[in-house]
């Protein structure tokens, strides 16, 4: 009897878990709108990412926050950053703050729902105390870095004279990968985790790549073989952009390897794969990476489309009508309830959030009503950056860096001297081959597929009136600008004076959001975080095990500094006396 009930119980359990899909999120960092082939560029081939997009749904109006920390906090909580105090500047190295502990993060929800949860790569949501790090916040494991970026090979990040290594395995500093290319070690880790996964449980894997963020300030763009990159992309004029192209290419190969691992493990037929960038590219300026958001306006940090309308696609064999471009509004906060719904969770568990469950719409868009009609783009206190979308209207206020990131940047990458776009490369990519092995679809022959790809690529490409765009001087929106974002996706025509009532309405909506805002949690960098106290690595410096270490050094340093000072003063006095004599 007991044996029977155990049997039935375990049968039920395994029945439940086999229904829950594996969820793999591949998050790129600062990837430009125009740096994937499916958005119409010929310059940087991304056959694997393109294959994923064409085989699933291209989410062409998916919005993020304009920078890393706010975007990642929104993904993890389903809340706009203004509700958690995570708006504004990304967390600095050694800044004693993180995503507040009372927030229940997505991986915590998924762990409770029976998932094995893994994070590979970037965190950037706080580590001053280890309670704030990934493995204390819902991830069974983490291999990656705590800060905003690291050098691609040396895995170090510097902030002024604070220089330290930042690659961790759970709570330990992981030195053995020192010198190995970041995109490769994160891919290898993801592949190993997939291949060793216990398939009696569903997997949640988030691969948060360093690519294609710039590396350390002293060496922004890094690739495994510089000569090879210059040769491969010699048709690109700017040598730095050639390196960016190679970094993007490595990211694309990573997507191929991860999808192939899912196939080899036999779990691709029950997986959902989400590819997205946390925000747009930073073509010039601080942490520039030579990426391109063309023809969208603006760079990372701004409220313009180039910063917040990110490269996004989703694939799953569960999709009822794949091979489409969705132009419905989606915001990065929506993934929290959407992923929870994918796992079979009841979204009423989630309490008050800003995210909207988009799963039924994503899986089958025959219901044409769009679940989201409006969204907050951003409000910040330190920098005047505001943005809101309601239907076809977008209101923007932007003064970041005196508007120097507000214009049009980056290459269009179309036509000569770039090579012609190769659909063949897409069809022979690792992703395409893997997906074909499990996707039953209504496209029967290769010609039909080629035509479908051409059509999807055309649909996913944004065309703007180039002449107007090129010669428009601003207008910098240091006072409110209004755009018809459906008909003017490149934010060329400020129509704020033509629509005073709509402008007022959007201002009022912003005002309501502002009244809900929790003050930004940013804090001064802590001197006790200095990596020199911890074997030149960034650690959770407020943990009990480290706290005496910095005190010990602080005492030692102040003693030695005091001695130095005394010596200096005596020397000075001595000199004075000597001169006097
Ligand atoms: C971290 O280091 C401790 C002590 O050496 C070790 O027991 C533990 O297994 C390590 N954890 C990981 C994830 O490597
Ligand atoms: C996926 O494929 C595996 C191996 O072929 C099979 O055992 C499993 O039942 C399939 N799962 C689904 C959901 O189709
Ligand atoms: C269509 O979507 C709306 C909004 O999500 C929902 O309320 C409605 O029930 C859906 N209708 C069908 C037939 O699924
Ligand atoms: C912005 O412009 C003002 C006035 O020209 C100048 O004082 C300030 O330093 C500039 N700020 C930045 C971030 O460039
Ligand atoms: C200290 O750092 C070096 C690399 O600079 C590393 O090889 C060594 O293992 C570290 N020591 C400890 C105790 O972590
Ligand atoms: C740190 O120092 C305090 C006071 O000197 C001591 O009580 C405490 O045990 C020390 N903690 C560790 C982890 O060594």
């Amino acid at each position: 009897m007991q044996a029977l009930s155990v049997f039935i119980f375990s049968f039920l359990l395994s029945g439940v878990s086999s229904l829950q899909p594996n969820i793999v999120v591949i998050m790129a960092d600062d990837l430009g709108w125009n740096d994937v082939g499916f958005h119409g560029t010929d310059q940087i081939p991304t056959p694997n990412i393109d294959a994923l997009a064409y085989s699933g749904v291209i989410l062409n109006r998916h919005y993020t926050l304009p920078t890393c920390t706010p975007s990642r906090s929104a993904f993890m909580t389903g809340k706009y950053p203004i509700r958690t105090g995570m708006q504004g500047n990304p967390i600095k190295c050694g800044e004693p703050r993180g995503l507040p502990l009372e927030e229940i993060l997505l991986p915590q929800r998924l762990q409770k729902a029976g998932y094995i949860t893994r994070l590979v790569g970037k965190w950037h949501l706080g580590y001053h105390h280890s309670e704030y790090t990934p493995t204390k916040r819902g991830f069974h494991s983490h291999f990656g870095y705590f800060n905003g970026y690291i050098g691609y090979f040396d895995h170090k990040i510097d902030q002024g004279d604070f220089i330290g290594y930042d690659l961790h395995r759970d709570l330990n500093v992981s030195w053995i990968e020192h010198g190995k290319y970041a995109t490769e070690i994160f891919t290898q880790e993801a592949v190993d985790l997939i291949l060793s996964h216990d398939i009696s449980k569903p997997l949640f894997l988030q691969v948060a790549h360093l690519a294609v963020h710039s590396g350390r300030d002293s060496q922004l763009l890094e690739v495994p073989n510089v000569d090879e990159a210059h040769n491969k992309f010699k048709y690109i004029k700017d040598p730095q952009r050639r390196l960016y192209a190679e970094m993007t290419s490595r990211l694309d190969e990573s997507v191929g390897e991860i999808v192939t691992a899912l196939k080899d493990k036999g779990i691709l037929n029950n997986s959902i794969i989400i590819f997205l960038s946390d925000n747009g590219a930073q073509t010039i300026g601080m942490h520039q990476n030579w990426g391109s958001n063309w023809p969208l306006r603006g760079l990372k940090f701004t409220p313009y489309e180039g910063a917040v309308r990110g490269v996004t696609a989703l694939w799953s064999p569960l999709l009822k009508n794949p091979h489409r471009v969705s132009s419905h509004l989606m915001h990065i906060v929506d993934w929290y309830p959407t992923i929870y719904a994918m796992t079979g969770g009841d979204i009423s568990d989630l309490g008050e959030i800003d995210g909207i469950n988009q799963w039924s719409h994503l899986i089958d868009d025959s219901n044409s009503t769009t679940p989201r009609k409006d969204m907050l783009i951003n409000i910040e206190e330190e920098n005047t950056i505001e943005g809101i979308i309601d239907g076809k209207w977008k209101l923007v206020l932007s003064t970041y860096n005196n508007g120097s990131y507000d214009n049009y940047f980056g290459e269009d990458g179309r036509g000569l001297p770039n090579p012609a776009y190769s659909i063949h490369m897409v069809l022979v990519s690792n992703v395409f081959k893997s997906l074909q092995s499990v996707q039953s679809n209504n496209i029967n022959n290769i010609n039909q597929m080629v035509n479908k790809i051409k059509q999807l690529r055309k649909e996913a490409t944004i065309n703007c009136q180039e002449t107007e765009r090129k010669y428009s001087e601003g207008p910098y929106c240091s006072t409110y600008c209004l755009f018809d974002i459906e008909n003017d996706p490149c934010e060329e025509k400020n129509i704020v004076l033509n629509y005073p009532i709509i402008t007022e309405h959007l201002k009022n909506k912003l005002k309501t959001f502002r009244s809900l805002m929790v003050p930004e949690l940013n804090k001064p960098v802590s001197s006790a975080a200095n990596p020199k106290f911890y074997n030149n690595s960034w650690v959770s410096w407020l943990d009990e095990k480290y706290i005496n270490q910095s005190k010990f050094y602080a005492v030692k340093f102040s003693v030695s500094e005091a001695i130095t000072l005394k010596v200096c003063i005596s020397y000075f006095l001595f000199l004075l006396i000597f001169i006097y004599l």
Side-chain angles (χ1 to χ4, degrees):
M1 188 63 205
Q2 204 186 353
L4 185 65
S5 63
V6 167
F7 173 75
I8 290 173
F9 185 64
S10 58
F11 177 77
L12 281 176
L13 269 184
S14 66
V16 166
S17 62
S18 77
L19 290 175
Q20 288 178 308
N22 306 294
I23 297 164
V24 177
V25 176
I26 304 172
M27 194 179 278
D29 200 340
D30 292 6
L31 178 63
W33 174 268
N34 198 40
D35 296 327
V36 288
F38 73 85
H39 276 162
T41 181
D42 303 327
Q43 197 166 48
I44 307 175
T46 52
N48 288 291
I49 298 169
D50 292 5
L52 190 80
Y54 298 138
S55 306
V57 193
I58 295 171
L59 300 170
N60 241 20
R61 288 206 66 199
H62 177 277
Y63 286 83
T64 64
L65 276 295
T67 52
C68 330
T69 297
S71 240
R72 286 159 205 264
S73 76
F75 181 83
M76 289 291 178
T77 61
K79 295 181 185 175
Y80 292 135
I82 56 161
R83 294 195 198 262
T84 55
M86 301 305 282
Q87 72 275 20
N89 294 323
I91 300 175
K92 292 192 175 78
C93 305
E95 192 182 343
R97 67 157 167 143
L99 188 50
L101 295 177
E102 59 269 22
E103 297 300 329
I104 301 173
L105 307 192
L106 179 62
Q108 284 174 284
R109 300 274 183 195
L110 299 181
Q111 221 178 64
K112 224 171 151 197
Y115 276 71
I116 299 293
T117 54
R118 311 282 192 193
L119 177 66
V120 177
K122 175 160 162 174
W123 175 240
H124 211 188
L125 292 172
Y127 65 96
H128 53 300
H129 194 285
S130 57
E131 291 307 309
Y132 286 82
T133 64
T135 52
K136 302 284 181 164
R137 305 213 67 183
F139 285 105
H140 285 113
S141 69
H142 174 227
F143 172 62
Y145 52 105
F146 292 155
N147 288 297
Y149 57 92
I150 48 176
Y152 277 78
F153 289 101
D154 66 11
H155 316 317
K156 286 182 184 162
I157 173 167
D158 33 354
Q159 191 173 273
D161 55 1
F162 285 22
I163 302 170
Y165 186 80
D166 181 4
L167 191 64
H168 295 78
R169 196 168 277 286
D170 298 353
L171 301 178
N172 301 343
V173 178
S174 190
W175 292 101
I176 51 169
E177 293 85 3
H178 180 75
K180 294 186 186 153
Y181 194 58
T183 308
E184 270 160 29
I185 57 176
F186 295 145
T187 304
Q188 194 53 51
E189 176 79 4
V191 167
D192 291 348
L193 288 170
I194 291 167
L195 296 181
S196 63
H197 177 66
D198 167 7
I199 57 168
S200 69
K201 297 200 173 105
L203 172 67
F204 175 72
L205 169 64
Q206 183 172 347
V207 186
H209 267 297
L210 171 62
V212 283
H213 198 289
S214 58
R216 290 174 67 184
D217 293 343
S218 52
Q219 189 169 356
L220 289 169
L221 304 186
E222 294 177 282
V223 298
N225 188 326
V226 175
D227 292 339
E228 201 182 288
H230 284 304
N231 191 40
K232 191 163 144 197
F233 294 105
K234 55 175 176 273
Y235 55 88
I236 299 178
K237 232 200 217 147
D238 185 333
Q240 292 299 318
R241 181 144 170 94
R242 287 183 206 145
L243 301 183
Y244 175 84
E246 178 63 6
M247 285 158 60
T248 307
S249 209
R250 296 279 166 162
L251 171 68
D252 184 70
E253 281 164 21
S254 168
V255 176
E257 287 179 44
I258 291 168
V259 174
T260 303
L262 290 167
K263 185 202 73 178
D264 291 346
K265 183 71 178 176
I267 59 175
L268 187 59
N269 59 356
N270 189 29
S271 291
I272 298 171
I273 303 171
I274 300 161
F275 180 87
L276 77 166
S277 182
D278 64 341
N279 48 251
Q282 182 69 352
T283 317
I284 61 155
M286 185 174 30
H287 307 307
Q288 76 180 112
N289 72 351
W290 284 263
S292 173
N293 302 321
W294 192 93
L296 298 180
R297 182 175 183 169
L299 300 183
K300 179 182 175 182
F301 296 104
T302 74
Y304 294 99
E305 298 287 277
V308 295
R309 186 170 168 177
V311 173
T312 312
L314 174 141
W315 175 89
S316 174
L318 304 171
L319 296 175
K320 297 272 194 307
N321 50 351
H323 312 293
R324 65 186 141 102
V325 178
S326 167
S327 55
H328 290 303
L329 285 182
M330 184 159 181
H331 192 274
I332 193 165
V333 292
D334 295 343
W335 290 111
Y336 185 87
T338 301
I339 290 176
Y340 194 63
M342 287 169 178
T343 70
D346 178 352
I347 57 162
S348 66
D349 300 346
L350 303 179
E352 209 184 310
I353 54 172
D354 297 298
I356 293 174
N357 172 16
Q358 303 247 17
W359 186 218
S360 63
H361 172 72
L362 291 174
I363 204 170
D364 180 4
D365 75 339
S366 47
N367 179 357
S368 62
T369 60
T370 157
R372 185 178 271 288
K373 307 262 189 286
D374 57 5
M375 61 172 66
L376 176 67
I377 294 296
N378 200 13
I379 305 179
E380 287 186 15
E381 300 125 291
E382 287 233 333
N383 311 298
T384 313
I385 299 170
E386 294 182 12
I388 192 160
I389 288 178
D390 189 1
K392 67 176 196 165
W393 307 106
K394 180 175 175 186
L395 192 73
V396 165
L397 185 66
S398 174
T399 64
Y400 190 85
N401 216 20
N402 283 350
S404 58
Y405 297 160
D406 290 8
N407 218 322
Y408 301 90
F409 301 92
E411 304 203 12
D412 69 1
R414 279 139 175 87
L416 291 172
N418 303 295
Y421 185 66
S422 167
I423 291 178
H424 175 75
M425 272 175 79
V426 174
L427 298 179
V428 299
S429 69
N430 283 329
V431 165
F432 191 81
K433 285 187 289 190
S434 300
L435 300 188
Q436 281 304 102
S437 72
V438 297
Q439 190 160 18
S440 58
N441 59 46
N442 46 5
I443 298 175
N444 304 314
N445 63 53
I446 199 82
N447 281 342
Q448 242 182 322
M449 184 55 87
V450 168
N451 287 334
K452 191 75 196 174
I453 287 177
K454 281 185 185 159
Q455 177 216 325
L456 290 170
R457 185 167 188 248
K458 205 166 160 205
E459 240 182 279
T461 298
I462 294 176
N463 294 301
C464 292
Q465 292 150 309
E466 196 183 339
T467 46
E468 245 178 280
R469 183 181 61 74
K470 224 169 177 171
Y471 300 112
S472 68
E473 271 291 311
Y476 298 133
C477 302
S478 56
T479 57
Y480 286 100
C481 289
L482 182 73
F483 300 105
D484 172 349
I485 208 64
E486 274 172 18
N487 295 304
D488 177 21
C490 299
E491 298 166 291
E492 295 174 82
K493 292 183 213 81
N494 176 13
I495 49 176
V496 72
L497 297 177
N498 312 42
Y499 295 94
I501 295 170
I502 286 160
T503 302
E504 204 49 38
H505 170 67
L506 288 175
K507 277 189 193 166
N508 281 333
K509 287 188 86 148
L510 273 173
K511 209 185 207 171
T512 307
F513 276 118
R514 212 176 291 118
S515 72
L516 301 171
M517 183 157 75
V518 173
E520 187 181 336
L521 296 174
N522 65 348
K523 295 203 168 67
V525 169
S526 161
S527 59
N530 194 337
K532 74 180 176 188
F533 300 138
Y534 317 102
N535 193 24
N536 302 312
S537 57
W538 294 96
V539 298
S540 298
W541 70 96
L542 296 182
D543 276 7
E544 180 76 4
K545 76 181 230 209
Y546 291 118
I547 208 143
N548 290 354
Q549 219 162 311
S550 69
K551 272 188 205 150
F552 170 73
Y553 279 104
V555 168
K556 218 170 89 171
F557 278 115
S558 61
V559 167
S560 66
E561 272 156 23
I563 291 170
T564 316
L565 195 69
K566 256 190 215 157
V567 171
C568 280
I569 290 172
S570 329
Y571 184 73
F572 182 71
L573 284 176
F574 180 76
L575 209 69
L576 217 65
I577 291 166
F578 183 78
I579 289 167
Y580 180 76
L581 287 175

